[in-house]
Amino acid sequence: MRTPYALACLLCAVFSVFSFHPREANLAGESLAATEQDEQAIRSIIEAETAAYFNKDSTKLFSFYVDDRITQSAWNGSNGSYGSFKGLAAIRKNFTEAFRKNPKPQPQPNIVRSQWFFQKFSNEWMWVNFLQQTDGADGKRYTNYETRVLKKVGREWKLAVMYSLGDHGLGGH
């Protein structure tokens, strides 16, 4: 079992690798401004990924991911632990096992996403942060700080990194 502090340290280390200062172009001359079209496509992917998760549809869920050397996911648990998976195979195994144990689709709760931040690294890579608030079936409001790193494959953005730090309905945000 790992502590939220350890997860925070892990995330700080990852973010330091991706710490970029906004510029108008990178060394290859590519524009680093996120386009409205890219932002909308990424928002749609995140919404569809969430719907696939609640529907327990692993085929659809993994259609939004890319199998890249940096593909990973991490989130904190309500008991202070966290899950961290490196590689698409490990992420797929985790969700497949979880869906097998709890196969019944769940109704998607009311989800509000705000405070979007898009930082384009290149024409192939985008870093996205947002705040996600969910009204749970238990009447609690859950607040998560979400981070995604996406890679453009062909004309589609695919998830390479998914981090979610939540308060588990305990407030504090």
Side-chain angles (χ1 to χ4, degrees):
M1 187 177 306
R2 298 179 181 149
T3 66
Y5 176 75
L7 180 59
C9 290
L10 170 73
L11 292 175
C12 287
V14 171
F15 292 146
S16 69
V17 170
F18 289 113
S19 64
F20 291 91
H21 297 284
R23 296 183 197 157
E24 292 193 21
N26 65 13
L27 295 176
E30 300 168 325
S31 170
L32 292 184
T35 66
E36 184 62 37
Q37 182 179 3
D38 285 333
E39 289 181 15
Q40 186 55 45
I42 289 168
R43 284 183 173 119
S44 294
I45 288 165
I46 291 168
E47 289 172 13
E49 177 221 10
T50 301
Y53 172 79
F54 281 104
N55 288 325
K56 309 288 178 95
D57 185 344
S58 58
T59 302
K60 186 72 170 171
L61 180 68
F62 290 107
S63 73
F64 301 111
Y65 281 79
V66 64
D67 191 2
D68 189 86
R69 64 185 176 85
I70 72 161
T71 301
Q72 57 191 282
S73 68
W75 59 89
N76 64 317
S78 59
N79 63 358
S81 66
Y82 70 92
S84 177
F85 298 90
K86 176 83 166 113
L88 187 59
I91 298 167
R92 185 185 311 269
K93 181 179 181 218
N94 174 68
F95 280 107
T96 300
E97 288 174 2
F99 290 171
R100 218 177 280 137
K101 288 178 186 174
N102 299 299
K104 186 177 176 188
Q106 301 171 294
Q108 185 167 325
N110 179 41
I111 297 173
V112 176
R113 294 180 178 99
S114 63
Q115 300 180 30
W116 288 91
F117 173 80
F118 293 85
Q119 177 61 56
K120 193 172 183 182
F121 298 146
S122 72
N123 286 334
E124 292 182 338
W125 291 97
M126 182 86 71
W127 175 26
V128 180
N129 285 332
F130 56 94
L131 192 66
Q132 178 172 292
Q133 293 185 311
T134 306
D135 294 327
D138 57 6
K140 295 180 183 177
R141 170 150 289 182
Y142 295 79
T143 302
N144 287 35
Y145 178 76
E146 304 274 340
T147 295
R148 305 288 190 275
V149 176
L150 295 98
K151 181 178 185 179
K152 198 164 206 179
V153 179
R155 294 181 171 204
E156 292 184 294
W157 287 103
K158 300 281 185 172
L159 297 165
V161 175
M162 188 285 296
Y163 291 153
S164 178
L165 293 174
D167 69 0
H168 298 281
L170 302 175
H173 288 288

